[in-house]
Amino acid sequence: MEPVAPGTTVTLRDVAAASGVSLSTASRALDERGTASRSAAAEHVRKVAEELGYRRNSFASSLRRGETRTLGVLVPRLSDTVMALMFEELERAASDRGYFAMVATSGDDPHDERRAAETLLDRNVDGLILATARLDDELPKLLRQRKVAHALVLRTDGVSPSALGDDEVGGYLATRHLIDLGHRDIAVVTGPSFTSTGTARLAGARRAMAEAGITPRQEWLLAAGYGIENGFAAGETLLGGDGPRPTAIFAANDNLAMGVIAAAHRCQAIVGRDLALVGYNDIPLSSRLATPLSSVRVPLDQVAGNAIDLIVNPGKEPQIRKSMPTLIPRESSGSPQHRKD
């Protein structure tokens, strides 16, 4: 093997010559986009490339193909645990497919979301993944009109390619769990009405109660934000008055559930004894609380893989892919203390 002069950039042509193969054979052996060939020739080329110190110029080769192998991910905020976990899974799934993921935040503001999307597109990303939550969001429609490759994640508008957990099933599982424990006085604290997650999880809860012949009190079906402070306010509304209290609450995310726990403590109700509580998303902290939280787990790795594939393989059906959630029961859910005969 002829050594390459110090300080000289090793090219693909150098690797091919040193390996005794054609340029095209060397290129295929070193192509990182697909599954690496395990043939003896390919292994030989990769060994020679490593010995020579060859570094593949992914940017240049992508430009030749008219792509950058980069995806833009737009989230409301990374301070939200679910959004941070979702981005980590998207980053991992993108890397597994030979892509790089970059993130921008919108703060749930439509104007900032549009501006962040344009900034990512100005960087020639090959597609956008939107984890923003509003049903009235015009951005997916605009991206469809401009024929920009995109996918919605953890939400859907029913039109654009989407990868999410089955929120209606998740809401059903959480509420059915409470019903199976004997509860009939059940409240639901869900996300804003402009979110697909909030409306779908509430629909699932309603279906479970309807099957059990339970007519929920309208004042016990609360639409809130998705933060801990929203859960606290909802919990005080449900538990702090002089009227009847629910014996069980389904909170449509774990942050809401944690807010309810704080409100229950202030209202002298013990979660797991006086009040059964189920959250949603099963974030890592849920199982570490003083009273571990029952929660609905969404397979974020499956959701991420589906989202990336919707962009990498455009047009492949189905365009709306729902992953099945799982109920994780823990000590926070229990049977009611006071039943009405």
Side-chain angles (χ1 to χ4, degrees):
M1 181 189 308
E2 288 293 329
V4 177
T8 302
T9 300
V10 180
T11 67
L12 182 62
R13 191 175 300 278
D14 294 328
V15 175
S19 304
V21 300
S22 68
L23 195 61
S24 60
T25 298
S27 178
R28 286 194 299 271
L30 298 173
D31 192 338
E32 300 170 349
R33 289 175 294 167
T35 303
S37 171
R38 297 187 179 277
S39 71
E43 294 285 1
H44 174 64
V45 170
R46 285 192 286 270
K47 181 180 179 181
V48 169
E50 183 178 356
E51 291 174 352
L52 291 176
Y54 171 74
R55 291 178 59 85
R56 181 171 178 269
N57 189 336
S58 299
F59 181 70
S61 60
S62 293
L63 288 179
R64 286 194 296 271
R65 295 191 301 268
E67 59 184 22
T68 62
R69 309 294 291 181
T70 303
L71 301 175
V73 180
L74 191 56
V75 301
R77 56 189 62 83
L78 285 172
S79 57
D80 182 289
T81 302
V82 175
M83 290 295 102
L85 293 171
M86 187 73 255
F87 177 67
E88 287 181 359
E89 293 294 346
L90 286 167
E91 192 174 39
R92 186 175 296 113
S95 179
D96 288 345
R97 292 156 178 80
Y99 283 78
F100 175 76
M102 65 171 63
V103 67
T105 59
S106 71
D108 262 339
D109 181 282
H111 176 72
D112 288 345
E113 178 192 47
R114 173 75 177 273
R115 184 172 57 185
E118 294 292 349
T119 298
L120 289 169
L121 291 173
D122 285 345
R123 282 158 174 74
N124 295 318
V125 296
D126 294 333
L128 288 177
I129 296 175
L130 310 180
T132 45
R134 302 184 68 95
L135 281 171
D136 58 359
D137 187 359
E138 289 292 319
L139 182 57
K141 180 180 177 181
L142 178 63
L143 294 175
R144 292 194 299 270
Q145 291 172 345
R146 292 168 58 178
K147 301 189 184 306
V148 174
H150 69 285
L152 312 186
V153 69
L154 292 181
R155 57 161 285 198
T156 183
D157 63 357
V159 183
S160 282
S162 308
L164 65 159
D166 194 321
D167 290 307
E168 197 272 342
V169 169
Y172 176 89
L173 291 174
T175 309
R176 185 74 244 181
H177 173 62
L178 296 170
I179 293 169
D180 289 343
L181 289 169
H183 294 275
R184 297 187 66 82
D185 296 326
I186 301 171
V188 179
V189 182
T190 188
S193 58
F194 61 74
T195 63
S196 66
T197 51
T199 55
R201 291 170 194 176
L202 176 59
R206 284 183 177 276
R207 177 163 68 89
M209 287 190 274
E211 284 183 4
I214 298 172
T215 302
R217 293 172 177 262
Q218 285 303 120
E219 65 270 24
W220 286 359
L221 304 178
L222 301 181
Y226 270 139
I228 293 175
E229 67 283 359
N230 304 118
F232 182 80
E236 284 202 314
T237 298
L238 293 168
L239 304 171
D242 296 328
R245 287 181 172 183
T247 64
I249 297 175
F250 164 45
N253 81 353
D254 290 345
N255 283 340
L256 284 172
M258 291 176 196
V260 170
I261 290 171
H265 178 74
R266 173 169 290 190
C267 297
Q268 299 183 328
I270 297 175
V271 172
R273 188 193 73 180
D274 307 317
L275 176 71
L277 179 64
V278 179
Y280 205 104
N281 288 319
D282 194 32
I283 63 175
L285 182 59
S286 298
S287 63
R288 299 290 186 265
L289 297 173
T291 301
L293 178 65
S294 298
S295 190
V296 176
R297 179 180 297 167
V298 179
L300 296 182
D301 56 340
Q302 291 182 22
V303 172
N306 285 335
I308 301 298
D309 287 340
L310 284 166
I311 292 179
V312 174
N313 301 302
K316 186 176 180 180
E317 297 295 333
Q319 287 289 285
I320 298 177
R321 303 181 187 181
K322 296 182 179 181
S323 298
M324 193 57 60
T326 305
L327 175 74
I328 309 296
R330 298 191 181 97
E331 287 87 334
S332 71
S333 52
S335 57
Q337 299 297 304
H338 305 289
R339 302 183 188 221
K340 295 180 180 179
D341 297 321

